[in-house]
């Protein structure tokens, strides 16, 4: 153990937070290191979204702290956080006639002064973001004319234009059809592998999460139940505890990807 | 015409100088037309304070101040409309609908009731205060550990309805049924002079410039509170500042013009149809169009049925509604 270990990218310690008047997080601790891809799973109302919002500085914890690179999130300004952390809420909405490129330019907001004209660095970041998210061909299209999958990729491009170290996504595949779900998750995994972008995402579909995320964090009633690789987390016994249902875990004979089916009686 | 590059034929930024030119022409028309019609030469002489003394008097004492008041009121209401539509992300929001002006009516009527015969000049400060108070009430009623756009709009509608009911009740149950109370509620620019210009222009200038500086906030607000927050906007603080600006713009305008509906609702949409959603273009364009619409409407109100004047609020609705519908059909 070296004495001068760099602080982890993101760390939560003893986190408590509310959703409305309900206590939604109870003593949650987790560490996210640079370059990780983490999926947060759990049943409805387990505190997944509240945890993500607390990590994104959307919501102040009632106790405990979140640190970004060792610094308390609430000691930093919202802009300073936005230059390092991008947050994509579930099903974000934008004016239908906004073009993809106009949307992505908003990602430069935290990097620009109130009146400063855009710099060449801003333009370059937008161009890169459009290319990496695979929407450069769509740049002139109004959002209202895009398919659900294209629109979600445009939102990812907005987040990339922030040039974040950490990308937080709340159920990014909601409302997408199966093909677009996998396309988006593959994109996120590629960004994680090739661009060293750290990704934390709340996932609804446990099997999908297991397929794409090397590490999973399972919440139950506001507490961390499990934290580890899919092989440890996604077991029939754990799923019974989490979801209160008898489920069996099968594995694809070719890829080894898990599939979850109702257990035979 | 609905999709792609054909959607915005004039580049959005080009609409601003065009609108400025239209405003100047409309203002010149407002100075030229009236019971005594002045030709272009007489208007120019009057403006340069030379030539025929009667023309000079008409231009400087009667028409120019009224035109300037109209331009400021129109710009204020249009800007307030853009701000409120941006804050609430609701296309039906405007200072009238959201109750930002309703307090002005209540205050004006209260003054007239307590002290009948109060001149209009003394009603103005009360109306201004009333308007700011109703805006503050909307904000306070919508606050519950934060402001949601929907709650803000609903609180505004409730305050507007309450203010209107209160005004109507007082008028209906009172013998002090004064002409000035009614004309205040209908809105109009009859007999507005330099004192009104001096009272209004600092607000138009200061709050107007401040509003233009909020363009990038409003652009980010359009993406929702969470996205705005995620991009580093202090959402509650920014929204409070925008609400305060809208209240100042509305209050200073209604104190001078009375309650004018419609301008703050329709002009932002017209501007949006012409130039798109980017508030950096939308705000200045709406200010120019609002000013032009109100000056044009007021000129019509003075001239159309001379020597009788009709309330300008009726004219803005009568000109504005069909023009707006025509825009909707051709551009949207």
């Amino acid at each position: 153990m070296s004495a001068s270990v760099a602080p982890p990218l993101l760390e939560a310690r003893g986190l408590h937070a509310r959703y409305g008047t309900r206590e939604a997080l109870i003593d949650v601790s987790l560490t996210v290191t640079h370059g990780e891809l983490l999926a947060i799973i759990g049943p409805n109302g387990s505190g997944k979204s509240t945890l993500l919002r607390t990590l994104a500085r959307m919501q102040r914890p009632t106790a405990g702290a979140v640190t970004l690179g060792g610094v308390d999130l609430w000691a930093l300004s919202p802009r300073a956080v936005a230059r390092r952390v991008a947050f994509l809420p579930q099903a974000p909405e934008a004016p239908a006639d906004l073009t993809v490129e106009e949307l992505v330019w908003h990602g430069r907001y935290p990097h620009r002064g109130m009146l400063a004209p855009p710099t060449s660095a801003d333009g370059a970041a937008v161009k890169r973001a459009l290319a990496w998210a695979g929407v450069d061909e769509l740049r002139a299209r109004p959002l209202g004319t895009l398919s659900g999958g294209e629109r979600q990729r445009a939102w990812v491009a907005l987040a990339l234009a922030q040039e974040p170290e950490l990308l937080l996504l709340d159920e990014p595949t909601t409302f997408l059809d199966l093909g677009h779900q996998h396309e988006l998750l593959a994109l996120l995994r590629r960004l994680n592998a090739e661009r060293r972008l750290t990704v934390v995402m709340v996932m609804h579909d446990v099997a999908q999460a297991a397929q794409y995320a090397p590490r999973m964090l399972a919440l139950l009633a506001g507490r961390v139940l499990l934290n580890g690789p899919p092989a440890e987390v996604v077991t029939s016994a754990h799923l019974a505890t989490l979801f209160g249902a008898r489920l069996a875990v099968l594995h694809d004979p070719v890829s080894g990807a898990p599939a979850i089916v109702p257990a035979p009686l | 015409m609905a999709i792609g590059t054909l959607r915005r034929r004039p580049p959005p930024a080009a609409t601003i100088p065009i609108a400025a030119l239209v405003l100047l022409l409309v203002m010149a028309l407002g100075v030229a037309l009236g019971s005594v019609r002045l030709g272009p030469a007489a208007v120019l002489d009057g403006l340069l304070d030379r030539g025929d003394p009667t023309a000079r008097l008409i231009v400087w004492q009667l028409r120019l101040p009224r035109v300037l008041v109209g331009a400021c009121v129109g710009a204020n209401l249009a800007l307030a409309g853009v701000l409120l539509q941006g804050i609430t992300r609701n296309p039906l929001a405007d200072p009238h609908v959201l109750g930002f002006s309703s307090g002005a009516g209540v205050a004006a009527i209260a003054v007239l009731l307590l002290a009948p015969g109060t001149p209009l000049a003394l009603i103005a400060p009360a109306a201004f205060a009333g308007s700011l108070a109703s805006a503050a009430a909307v904000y306070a009623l919508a606050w519950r550990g934060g402001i949601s756009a929907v709650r803000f709009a609903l609180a505004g509608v409730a305050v507007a309805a309450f203010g209107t009911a209160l005004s109507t009740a007082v008028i209906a149950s009172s013998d002090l049924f004064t002409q000035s109370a009614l004309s205040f509620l209908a809105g109009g620019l009859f007999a507005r002079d330099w004192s009104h210009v001096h009272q209004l222009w600092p607000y138009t200038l200061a709050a107007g410039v401040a509003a233009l500086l909020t363009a990038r906030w409003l652009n980010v607000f359009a993406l929702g509170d969470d996205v705005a927050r995620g991009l580093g906007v202090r959402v509650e603080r920014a929204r409070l500042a925008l609400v305060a600006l809208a209240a100042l713009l509305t209050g200073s305008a209604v104190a001078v013009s009375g309650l004018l509906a419609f301008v703050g609702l329709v002009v932002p949409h017209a501007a949006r149809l012409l130039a798109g959603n980017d508030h950096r273009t939308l705000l200045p364009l709406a200010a120019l169009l609002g000013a032009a619409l109100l000056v044009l409407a007021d000129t019509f109100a003075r001239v159309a049925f001379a020597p009788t004047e009709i309330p300008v609020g009726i004219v803005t609705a009568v000109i504005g509604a069909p023009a707006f519908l025509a825009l909707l059909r051709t551009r949207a």
Side-chain angles (χ1 to χ4, degrees), chain A residues 207 234-237 239-240 245-251 258-265:
Chain A
V234 186
T235 65
S236 186
L239 293 177
R246 285 169 45 82
L247 299 164
V249 180
L250 312 177
H251 290 275
I260 297 167
V261 296
L265 290 171

Side-chain angles (χ1 to χ4, degrees), chain A residues 53 58 77-79 82 85 87 89 92-95 97-99 102-103 106-107 109-110 112-115 145 155 158 162, chain B residues 3-5 7-8 213-217 219-220 222-234 272 276-278 280:
Chain A
R53 295 177 67 81
M58 294 280 124
S77 74
R79 277 166 75 91
V85 180
F87 170 68
E93 280 180 48
D97 62 349
L98 199 69
T99 67
E102 286 169 336
L103 177 73
H106 286 308
Y109 184 92
R112 295 174 59 190
M114 194 71 188
L115 295 172
T145 67
W155 280 102
L158 162 80
Q162 283 175 251
Chain B
I3 307 173
T5 50
R7 198 167 44 101
R8 294 171 189 171
L213 293 178
T214 66
R216 290 187 54 222
W217 277 349
N219 283 345
V220 174
L223 307 178
D225 283 3
D226 279 349
V227 173
R229 211 170 269 132
L231 289 173
V233 178
R234 293 177 195 269
R272 207 168 273 134
N277 281 313
D278 188 337
R280 288 170 300 182

Side-chain angles (χ1 to χ4, degrees), chain B residues 32-247:
Chain B
L33 296 183
S35 52
V36 176
R37 185 171 297 185
L38 302 176
V43 169
L44 195 64
D45 277 353
L47 285 175
L48 296 174
D49 216 0
R50 66 182 187 203
D52 178 19
T54 318
R56 268 167 25 196
L57 186 76
I58 290 174
V59 169
W60 277 99
Q61 295 310 316
L62 298 176
R63 293 191 191 157
L64 188 58
R66 182 161 173 172
V67 161
L68 290 174
V69 169
C72 288
V73 168
N76 279 21
L77 293 177
L79 283 173
V82 175
L83 296 183
L84 291 173
Q85 286 171 13
I87 296 166
T88 57
R89 284 188 284 281
N90 189 329
L92 291 179
D94 93 329
H96 201 69
V97 174
L98 289 193
F100 274 47
S101 54
S102 66
V106 176
I109 287 164
V111 169
L112 288 166
L113 200 68
L114 294 172
T118 303
L120 198 72
L122 295 179
I123 297 175
F128 192 10
S131 174
L132 294 187
S134 59
V138 173
Y139 191 85
L141 286 171
W143 181 268
R144 208 175 354 155
I147 296 267
S148 91
V150 172
R151 211 161 51 226
F152 187 81
L154 291 176
V157 169
V159 168
F162 187 73
T164 309
L166 209 59
S167 306
T168 313
V170 171
I171 289 182
S173 64
S174 168
D175 298 334
L176 304 164
F177 185 79
T178 59
Q179 185 61 36
S180 46
L182 265 189
S183 71
F184 184 87
L185 288 180
L189 299 175
F190 179 68
R192 297 303 189 275
D193 58 28
W194 283 108
S195 70
H196 300 103
V197 177
H198 296 317
Q199 186 186 323
L200 185 52
W201 76 262
Y203 289 99
T204 304
L205 186 71
V209 168
L212 297 185
L213 293 178
T214 66
R216 290 187 54 222
W217 277 349
L218 287 166
N219 283 345
V220 174
F221 263 125
L223 307 178
D225 283 3
D226 279 349
V227 173
R229 211 170 269 132
L231 289 173
V233 178
R234 293 177 195 269
V235 168
E236 298 304 346
R237 206 182 288 182
R239 185 158 29 217
L240 182 61
L242 291 168
V243 167
L245 274 180

